Amino acid sequence: MELKNKIDFTIVIAAENCNPNGDPTCYNQPRRDFDGHGEMTNVCLKRKIRDRLQERGESIFFQSDSHISDGCLSLKQRAENCAELQKEISKKKDANVKLCEKIACEKWFDVRTFGSVFAFKGQSVSFGVRGPVSITHARTLEPVDIVTFQYTKSMNSHDESFDYDNARMGTRSFIQKGAYVACGSIFPQLAEKTGFSQEDAEVLKEVMKNLLDNDASDFRPSGSMTSFLFWWSHNSSIGAMPSARVFRTLHISPTPEWPFFTVSPEEIPGVVLEQY
């Protein structure tokens, strides 16, 4: 069914004693902005959404190395494995770019959701898809404290080091606590172009309700992170009010105890709010 009504959403992630999103340019410490607030990039959030979608059996174009399900080791290989898409691309200058976009959107859930650019070396046809779903970076309500500690591992990494003591030092960093807030929207005008449907929106809502299930790791132990979803459904395609104003009707305040925030939503005429 066609998506006819605009949707806004806010994700709040409560994190405790973990590293929600490491910064590779800073020894993989938890990301922080210049004011000391913790950050999770929208790339990180979309990665988690894609992984949850893939676990539901949806076809995903941007698969992570740990979630490859089709044997393709690159985006180019995955695009080339789509026979219908390659048939149209093989026409070169006579290829129908709009048809290529349509094929890609029908084939991959994340392409019709977030969009993508198809431009690969050796291919004569390139095109881009603008997706209807946008998500901001997540930022904590308050500055976060980063704890860094060192540990030892009793195993040599290389054979050459056999003549040394096999105790080696490592470093880990984590935040003590924080509530990360990210906002997003789904626009029917763009959904119409990619084929993103009302059913797709419901699937997206379901995976964001359980965004951190199956996402535990050494730096994010099970139970250290929990997500909360606030989902606004407007009564029209343009929305009852601009997204920036909608997000500000959700008054979120930090608290010292888990889940480290309290929320007080305002009622908006023409908008239905669901909380999970």
Side-chain angles (χ1 to χ4, degrees):
M1 187 171 64
E2 180 182 353
L3 180 68
K4 297 182 178 180
N5 299 334
K6 180 186 174 185
I7 296 170
D8 292 308
F9 58 86
T10 291
I11 306 171
V12 184
I13 296 175
E16 184 176 25
N17 296 328
C18 64
N19 185 345
N21 187 194
D23 185 350
T25 66
C26 192
Y27 308 101
N28 205 43
Q29 290 189 2
R31 293 181 186 270
R32 285 194 297 183
D33 63 16
F34 290 113
D35 296 322
H37 290 80
E39 284 189 322
M40 294 176 67
T41 66
N42 58 356
V43 174
C44 172
L45 296 174
K46 287 191 285 186
R47 175 75 273 152
K48 297 179 188 301
I49 291 173
R50 286 185 169 100
D51 289 348
R52 302 294 86 76
L53 287 169
Q54 195 172 351
E55 290 161 4
R56 289 176 58 100
E58 302 292 346
S59 181
I60 298 299
F61 185 63
F62 286 86
Q63 298 180 19
S64 66
D65 291 344
S66 60
H67 280 72
I68 293 176
S69 59
D70 55 9
C72 298
L73 302 180
S74 68
L75 297 178
K76 181 181 179 182
Q77 186 180 0
R78 187 163 294 118
E80 291 175 343
N81 271 14
C82 180
E84 189 178 0
L85 179 60
Q86 290 308 307
K87 180 180 178 181
E88 188 61 30
I89 288 177
S90 66
K91 298 177 183 179
K92 297 184 178 179
K93 66 179 182 179
D94 295 324
N96 186 331
V97 174
K98 291 296 182 183
L99 179 56
C100 291
E101 294 175 11
K102 183 175 183 294
I103 293 170
C105 289
E106 290 177 350
K107 172 70 174 176
W108 294 291
F109 192 108
D110 58 333
V111 173
R112 68 175 177 268
T113 301
F114 302 120
S116 179
V117 174
F118 288 75
F120 304 111
K121 184 178 180 180
Q123 289 200 349
S124 57
V125 178
S126 61
F127 60 94
V129 177
R130 184 182 177 188
V133 180
S134 67
I135 303 177
T136 68
H137 286 9
R139 185 174 185 265
T140 56
L141 298 173
E142 294 182 307
V144 296
D145 293 323
I146 294 180
V147 176
T148 299
F149 64 94
Q150 292 184 315
Y151 64 93
T152 60
K153 57 178 182 178
S154 56
M155 176 63 66
N156 288 316
S157 299
H158 305 284
D159 293 342
E160 310 86 72
S161 58
F162 73 94
D163 55 341
Y164 297 99
D165 183 357
N166 65 0
R168 293 290 179 265
M169 300 295 295
T171 301
R172 294 286 177 88
S173 299
F174 61 88
I175 66 163
Q176 291 184 315
K177 63 180 181 180
Y180 292 77
V181 181
C183 300
S185 300
I186 308 176
F187 300 97
Q189 298 85 349
L190 295 174
E192 182 181 2
K193 295 181 180 180
T194 68
F196 186 88
S197 65
Q198 180 65 45
E199 290 77 13
D200 289 335
E202 293 299 320
V203 171
L204 187 64
K205 179 169 67 174
E206 287 302 311
V207 301
M208 287 200 291
K209 285 162 57 176
N210 304 288
L211 185 63
L212 300 171
D213 287 359
N214 232 13
D215 193 59
S217 73
D218 196 23
F219 288 82
R220 302 184 303 276
S222 179
S224 63
M225 296 177 66
T226 307
S227 62
F228 302 83
L229 177 65
F230 301 86
W231 186 272
W232 292 273
S233 299
H234 295 251
N235 61 0
S236 68
S237 61
I238 61 173
M241 67 168 59
S243 299
R245 291 175 59 188
V246 171
F247 300 141
R248 284 162 177 77
T249 65
L250 190 68
H251 303 287
I252 307 176
S253 302
T255 61
E257 304 297 329
W258 191 94
F260 313 122
F261 75 96
T262 59
V263 62
S264 177
E266 296 180 18
E267 290 189 7
I268 308 174
V271 180
V272 176
L273 171 62
E274 302 172 59
Q275 303 181 43
Y276 301 98

